[in-house]
Amino acid sequence: MKRAVSVLLSCLCFALCQDDEPDYDNILYGGIWRLPSPSPTLGEEDVSKAVQTAIAFLDQRKTHNIRKSDGGLHPYSVRNILKMKLAFTSDDREPYLYSVMSQEDKPKPMSTLLVFGTTYIFQITWTSKDFIFKHNFIVTMYPKGNFYIFAHTSMNEEFSPHQMNNQTTAAQEESNSAVCSVLFSDGSSDPALFSTRSCTLRRADVLKDLHSCDNRLQGSLYTDIGAQTVSKSCVKRSDIYLNFTVMTYNTWNFNSRPEKGSHYYVDRIKRLGQVINDYKPDIIAFQEVRFEYQKGGSLGPNQAQHLADMLQGYQFVYQPAQLQPNSVRDGRTEEGVAVFSRYPIISHHSLPLFRNQSNSADLHQRMCQHVEVQLPNQKTGCASWLQTECRPLGIDSPFFFHVGY
């Protein structure tokens, strides 16, 4: 009997908690209810303008291979188009409806949605004789006719046989330089290229005393090429691991203080860009990044794109976490997290964190942004963030970043 009562109470508690939890199946992020558009096409004017905004973004960065010698665009295709209206929800459990008067001869009250723009997701693809360029974009529109970039990632894929042959020849030539492909003594191969102090080997069949080398001329790298033995080329332990730098920065939503004048924001974000360019980190995690209508001075409302304009050569993804309550009065205002990377971002998605709406201290939606980065040695490694805490998980695993807001 006690067990049955316990199970009943647990079920009741679960049901009550569910009532206080946002409808995560239907909200895109805090305050925004997703309204997908069925089968959007390039024939729709707003979709076409979103794509043209993305192409202009690439043009500003002089992205190679999208234009012909005469300045015209190479033929391209647009794939995987998604379109979502951003409807306001005051409780994150259903769309908010407000009353307006119809425009008929005899006006009458009617309910309508409060919409804060539209978000578009798509891929633009160019094909050359050697390989395919794939550019993935998230573009948002607010208000009508104004488009901004929220994410740009790209990767070159599907090399042609001609390109692969060229790469093979280059790799063979490089084998005479200070780079070797290593085969561990346990028989497992590693596709990574390892730098050595004076490596002239085409292949290493046995790697001895790897960990004892430790930056000193102790261990040796041995291989047999026919009957000839080549040896004594020390591999430093530090050379096994890919070195890369990571920076995390909380912007403190500093474009939200107009009382000091918009030019202060413009000056400050330029200084931020200068600091980052001085250090040149490989990966940057930003928190409290803002999109704020009518703010940002001459740069406009989209802080993620301000950063992208200053950090050329980086791919990036921005994920809003919460539409701010003042949006109903002042226009769309939201903040979230962004990840910038010098290396290709091959996948990303966001995870809204649990929020108990019955707790007045837990009304602001938090978001975890997941990003997978392709490292130069064609392996991936991993690390994760929750708020500003970094926990490395190992270099041999897929390389992920979790940025919590």
Side-chain angles (χ1 to χ4, degrees):
M1 181 66 182
K2 289 183 178 180
R3 183 186 178 98
V5 171
S6 176
V7 171
L8 180 61
L9 290 175
S10 297
C11 292
L12 179 60
C13 179
F14 177 79
L16 291 174
C17 290
Q18 289 293 100
D19 288 341
D20 292 330
E21 185 179 356
D23 183 355
Y24 289 118
D25 290 334
N26 288 296
I27 64 169
L28 191 59
Y29 47 90
I32 291 295
W33 190 271
R34 69 175 86 219
L35 293 176
S37 175
S39 304
T41 69
L42 271 176
E44 299 174 40
E45 182 180 3
D46 58 329
V47 175
S48 177
K49 287 184 177 179
V51 171
Q52 293 307 311
T53 299
I55 292 175
F57 179 87
L58 296 177
D59 257 348
Q60 291 171 358
R61 285 150 182 77
K62 302 189 183 304
T63 302
H64 59 285
N65 290 328
I66 72 169
R67 289 197 175 272
K68 306 174 185 176
S69 57
D70 62 4
L73 282 171
H74 282 294
Y76 63 89
S77 61
V78 182
R79 306 174 181 176
N80 306 327
I81 303 174
L82 297 176
K83 174 181 173 181
M84 288 177 290
K85 286 187 177 181
L86 310 180
F88 176 62
T89 169
S90 59
D91 58 7
D92 290 333
R93 297 193 199 101
E94 59 183 3
Y96 176 80
L97 298 174
Y98 68 102
S99 296
V100 296
M101 299 299 292
S102 68
Q103 302 299 316
E104 301 171 357
D105 293 337
K106 296 181 179 180
K108 59 181 180 181
M110 59 180 294
S111 296
T112 188
L113 295 167
L114 179 59
V115 176
F116 282 98
T118 307
T119 288
Y120 310 83
I121 303 173
F122 52 86
Q123 180 185 88
I124 310 178
T125 302
W126 281 270
T127 304
S128 74
K129 65 178 182 179
D130 293 326
F131 41 84
I132 296 177
F133 297 96
K134 295 183 178 180
H135 293 269
N136 301 292
F137 282 95
I138 299 177
V139 178
T140 197
M141 178 183 68
Y142 183 85
K144 186 176 180 179
N146 293 269
F147 295 84
Y148 304 94
I149 308 293
F150 268 19
H152 169 238
T153 67
S154 66
M155 183 169 286
N156 306 335
E157 297 181 357
E158 299 182 18
F159 290 88
S160 69
H162 170 72
Q163 180 73 12
M164 291 299 292
N165 290 337
N166 288 344
Q167 287 195 335
T168 302
T169 301
Q172 291 173 346
E173 292 173 352
E174 191 176 35
S175 66
N176 293 323
S177 67
V179 178
C180 290
S181 181
V182 175
L183 183 72
F184 285 103
S185 57
D186 64 0
S188 61
S189 61
D190 191 322
L193 297 179
F194 295 104
S195 174
T196 68
R197 291 179 184 268
S198 58
C199 179
T200 58
L201 309 178
R202 289 184 179 275
R203 179 167 177 163
D205 293 321
V206 178
L207 181 61
K208 288 186 176 181
D209 300 324
L210 174 64
H211 298 293
S212 64
C213 182
D214 194 23
N215 295 328
R216 297 185 296 274
L217 294 174
Q218 294 180 4
S220 297
L221 184 64
Y222 299 86
T223 188
D224 290 330
I225 302 178
Q228 183 182 5
T229 298
V230 182
S231 64
K232 296 181 181 178
S233 182
C234 178
V235 179
K236 296 185 297 182
R237 183 175 182 180
S238 60
D239 289 333
I240 298 173
Y241 302 99
L242 174 69
N243 292 322
F244 59 94
T245 55
V246 178
M247 175 184 287
T248 181
Y249 193 98
N250 189 316
T251 68
W252 284 25
N253 52 60
F254 59 77
N255 62 338
S256 61
R257 300 171 183 258
E259 67 275 7
K260 295 183 178 181
S262 61
H263 66 281
Y264 286 98
Y265 168 71
V266 173
D267 293 342
R268 184 174 178 184
I269 199 167
K270 286 181 178 178
R271 287 197 295 271
L272 170 58
Q274 185 60 53
V275 168
I276 296 172
N277 279 308
D278 287 345
Y279 284 94
K280 295 181 172 58
D282 296 311
I283 298 168
I284 317 163
F286 291 100
Q287 300 86 45
E288 294 192 2
V289 179
R290 284 247 166 172
F291 179 96
E292 194 160 9
Y293 181 60
Q294 295 182 335
K295 302 289 174 64
S298 60
L299 298 178
N302 185 15
Q303 192 175 38
Q305 193 167 334
H306 305 167
L307 295 168
D309 290 340
M310 293 182 295
L311 303 176
Q312 306 228 357
Y314 286 84
Q315 300 184 20
F316 74 101
V317 292
Y318 168 57
Q319 174 58 54
Q322 176 71 43
L323 183 81
Q324 301 297 85
N326 65 294
S327 298
V328 177
R329 181 186 70 249
D330 301 327
R332 183 173 166 184
T333 302
E334 56 199 19
E335 63 181 46
V337 290
V339 175
F340 283 64
S341 173
R342 288 185 182 276
Y343 305 135
I345 295 174
I346 58 178
S347 70
H348 63 91
H349 68 269
S350 58
L351 175 67
L353 303 181
F354 171 79
R355 174 159 55 104
N356 185 351
Q357 291 185 317
S358 65
N359 182 352
S360 60
D362 197 22
L363 296 182
H364 195 104
Q365 181 64 58
R366 304 289 175 172
M367 189 72 71
C368 181
Q369 175 74 359
H370 167 102
V371 173
E372 185 176 1
V373 176
Q374 182 68 53
L375 301 181
N377 64 352
Q378 298 182 3
K379 295 188 72 177
T380 51
C382 62
S384 66
W385 270 258
L386 185 58
Q387 304 296 356
T388 57
E389 179 184 359
C390 174
R391 298 189 294 269
L393 300 180
I395 197 67
D396 293 327
S397 305
F399 198 87
F400 302 117
F401 284 91
H402 297 121
V403 182
Y405 169 76

